Amino acid sequence: MESDTRLEQSLSELKLKIKEHDKLGPYSEILDDPFLKVFLQGKGFDVDVALSYIAKYMHMRTVKYKKQMSPYLPSKARLLETEFSQMLRNKDQHGRYIAVLNTYVWNPEMASVQESIAAVLFALDEGMRRYFSHKPDGVVVIIDCKDTTLSKIRAVTSSEIIQTMDLFFKCLPASPKEIHYVNENIMYRGFLNTLLSFFGKKMRGRVHIHSSNMESLHKFVAPNILPKSLGGTLTNEEAYDSDLINGARENDKFYKGIWPSDKL
């Protein structure tokens, strides 16, 4: 109860500072309470630190990568119609949420790298509001790299890797507790070595590479909450929270609000 009171007090203070902020002020009406609470929770109710991360978040999306991201809206994101970016219904044994990225779904001939980044961003933003606005339980990420081809690896440029690091690691209020790679082949391992070079030392220490050894993955995430594709016991329908993607696809208003040309 005390933490709820503290959260609401911090939220009121944060909203006032956003309205007075020279960069964030124009967006004060679209930065909704669940979104703001994620940053407050992730930064221990420190209003000034939360504000600085919101400013980074908005700068990445409305300035630095506006050209790359603004062509896309969640209602039209084709990859959101697939199992590309998902969240498990059940938490792990430590009470953490489990995000799953099924990269094998992505076909660069059907969707560009930028569209795939946008799809993950849309799911991430909805997940932040849905799961982390009340209590920062933490998140674990599983990346299934099955069926990686040379054409997929060649489609990703170093600038897009940097963009991914900026959007998903440098402006969010918290980082994944663990990142698990499974089903990576020899081609993906070479790409992964390049990718990990962009991670900081702390984040590299959270990365676990399992190849096709699902028993190794299950030492961290129990199979009774995983889909069969990850060696679990559940169907995809049982394992994945369909409400996440349904919610993400209804968020066009937020992105239209942060990407209008007259505000930038």
Side-chain angles (χ1 to χ4, degrees):
M1 199 70 180
E2 181 180 344
S3 62
D4 290 341
T5 300
R6 187 181 180 191
L7 177 59
E8 293 304 321
Q9 290 174 343
S10 299
L11 179 62
S12 296
E13 182 182 349
L14 177 61
K15 291 168 78 170
L16 180 61
K17 290 196 173 189
I18 287 174
K19 287 182 178 180
E20 297 172 345
H21 196 282
D22 59 338
K23 300 294 186 183
L24 297 177
Y27 304 100
S28 60
E29 295 301 318
I30 62 167
L31 297 177
D32 53 89
D33 288 3
F35 173 87
L36 298 178
K37 287 179 179 180
V38 173
F39 287 84
L40 286 170
Q41 294 273 18
K43 294 306 172 185
F45 306 109
D46 188 318
V47 173
D48 289 330
V49 175
L51 183 70
S52 70
Y53 271 82
I54 294 168
K56 289 179 186 178
Y57 171 102
M58 293 299 289
H59 176 78
M60 293 294 185
R61 286 157 172 75
T62 66
V63 180
K64 189 171 184 177
Y65 297 112
K66 179 198 170 190
K67 180 179 179 181
Q68 292 88 338
M69 295 287 94
S70 59
Y72 306 105
L73 289 172
S75 65
K76 298 180 180 179
R78 292 170 289 182
L79 285 169
L80 289 183
E81 299 173 358
T82 71
E83 292 167 354
F84 179 62
S85 184
Q86 297 287 337
M87 186 77 78
L88 295 187
R89 291 183 185 275
N90 299 302
K91 298 180 182 181
D92 71 3
Q93 62 271 32
H94 303 293
R96 302 174 299 190
Y97 291 98
I98 312 295
V100 180
L101 184 64
N102 294 309
T103 63
Y104 59 84
V105 173
W106 173 58
N107 181 347
E109 295 180 1
M110 298 296 294
S112 67
V113 174
Q114 292 298 336
E115 186 173 349
S116 70
I117 293 173
V120 178
L121 182 148
F122 296 147
L124 169 68
D125 286 351
E126 174 63 15
M128 285 168 53
R129 290 182 175 89
R130 185 173 293 270
Y131 305 115
F132 301 107
S133 61
H134 299 290
K135 185 181 178 182
D137 297 293
V139 65
V140 171
V141 178
I142 301 174
I143 302 176
D144 190 345
C145 314
K146 181 174 60 179
D147 298 333
T148 297
T149 62
L150 189 58
S151 64
K152 287 185 177 182
I153 292 175
R154 285 177 171 173
V156 183
T157 65
S158 58
S159 63
E160 287 164 336
I161 294 176
I162 294 171
Q163 178 185 346
T164 300
M165 295 297 106
D166 282 348
L167 288 169
F168 299 109
F169 292 96
K170 293 187 177 180
C171 63
L172 298 179
S175 299
K177 302 299 183 183
E178 299 166 1
I179 302 178
H180 299 275
Y181 288 89
V182 299
N183 291 321
E184 76 286 350
N185 57 24
I186 191 168
M187 286 184 291
Y188 194 91
R189 286 181 204 131
F191 173 76
L192 186 56
N193 287 335
T194 301
L195 180 64
L196 293 180
S197 69
F198 288 88
F199 282 31
K201 181 178 179 181
K202 183 177 181 179
M203 186 54 60
R204 284 198 300 271
R206 298 179 181 184
V207 172
H208 305 271
I209 301 172
H210 304 283
S211 300
S212 58
N213 185 353
M214 294 302 165
E215 291 184 0
S216 175
L217 172 66
H218 297 164
K219 292 178 182 178
F220 297 88
V221 184
N224 66 324
I225 67 170
L226 290 171
K228 293 178 182 177
S229 61
L230 295 173
T233 60
L234 304 178
T235 64
N236 287 348
E237 291 75 15
E238 293 170 332
Y240 294 136
D241 181 4
S242 59
D243 290 341
L244 170 71
I245 300 303
N246 292 336
R249 293 177 65 81
E250 296 175 355
N251 284 340
D252 280 10
K253 182 179 179 180
F254 176 77
Y255 299 101
K256 288 179 178 178
I258 68 173
W259 286 328
S261 58
D262 63 326
K263 285 192 177 181
L264 302 178

